[in-house]
């Protein structure tokens, strides 16, 4: 998780910052965000974690997470090329820290993709995205994620 990078669509009214917080046993990632665009805009913020072909040897993505308020987080798998193909799975977060365990087979296409399920050997990135599909324009918040791993 230490190799994560932040992504946002700042030009459209979304901004984010990722902060590493030292903790016993490692580092937590804290994503702070604000959506300041206008109603009807689709805004997003998130961070990207590189993936390797090794993801194909696993069945699940597991991480610990919480948010400062109840919200949904879109976890996405992306394959390379052009804009890239993506598959997503939405998860619920609130202030209570919890282990999130999602089957890689449960991810569904975002837009047009060459297959209904991700071809895991081709996945190059795991994205953790907060957007205005699940949050209002004018809102802000933060999510904390730790201990991201693949599992069988």
């Amino acid at each position: 998780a230490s190799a994560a990078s932040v992504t946002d669509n700042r030009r459209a009214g979304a901004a984010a910052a990722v902060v590493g917080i030292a903790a016993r046993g490692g580092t937590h990632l804290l994503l702070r965000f604000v959506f300041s665009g206008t109603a009807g805009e689709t805004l997003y913020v998130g961070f990207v974690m590189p993936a390797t072909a090794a993801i194909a040897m696993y069945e699940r993505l597991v991480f610990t997470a919480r948010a400062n308020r109840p919200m949904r987080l879109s976890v996405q798998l992306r394959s390379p090329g052009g804009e890239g193909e993506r598959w997503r799975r939405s998860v619920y977060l609130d202030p209570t820290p919890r282990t999130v365990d999602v089957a890689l087979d449960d991810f569904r296409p975002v837009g047009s993709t060459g297959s209904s399920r991700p071809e895991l050997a081709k996945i190059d990135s795991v994205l953790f995205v907060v957007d205005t599909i699940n949050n209002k324009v004018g809102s802000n918040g933060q999510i904390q994620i730790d201990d991201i791993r693949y599992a069988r």
Side-chain angles (χ1 to χ4, degrees), residues 74 76-77 79 83-89 107-118 133:
S74 177
Q76 301 180 13
L77 303 176
S79 65
E83 292 290 315
E85 292 184 329
R86 292 179 295 130
W87 294 261
R88 73 174 156 220
R89 173 73 161 73
F107 284 71
R108 298 295 179 251
V110 177
S112 178
T113 60
S115 63
S116 62
R117 299 277 196 268
I133 293 170

Side-chain angles (χ1 to χ4, degrees), residues 6 13 30 45 49 53 75 78 114 120 123:
V6 69
L30 176 69
V45 298
M49 182 183 82
V75 183
R78 181 175 61 194
L120 295 178
I123 298 300

Side-chain angles (χ1 to χ4, degrees), residues 27-48:
T27 302
H28 299 288
L29 292 178
L30 176 69
L31 173 71
R32 294 181 177 165
F33 67 90
V34 61
F35 296 127
S36 60
T38 58
E41 285 183 291
T42 301
L43 306 173
Y44 63 89
V45 298
F47 65 89
V48 180

Side-chain angles (χ1 to χ4, degrees), residues 42-108:
T42 301
L43 306 173
Y44 63 89
V45 298
F47 65 89
V48 180
M49 182 183 82
T52 66
I55 191 174
M57 298 184 315
Y58 297 92
E59 297 170 354
R60 300 183 337 265
L61 176 67
V62 181
F63 56 95
T64 303
R66 68 179 173 175
N68 67 317
R69 60 179 170 76
M71 71 175 70
R72 296 204 71 80
L73 172 70
S74 177
V75 183
Q76 301 180 13
L77 303 176
R78 181 175 61 194
S79 65
E83 292 290 315
E85 292 184 329
R86 292 179 295 130
W87 294 261
R88 73 174 156 220
R89 173 73 161 73
S90 175
V91 298
Y92 173 80
L93 301 178
D94 62 26
T96 304
R98 72 184 73 223
T99 299
V100 178
D101 185 334
V102 292
L104 296 172
D105 199 38
D106 285 348
F107 284 71
R108 298 295 179 251

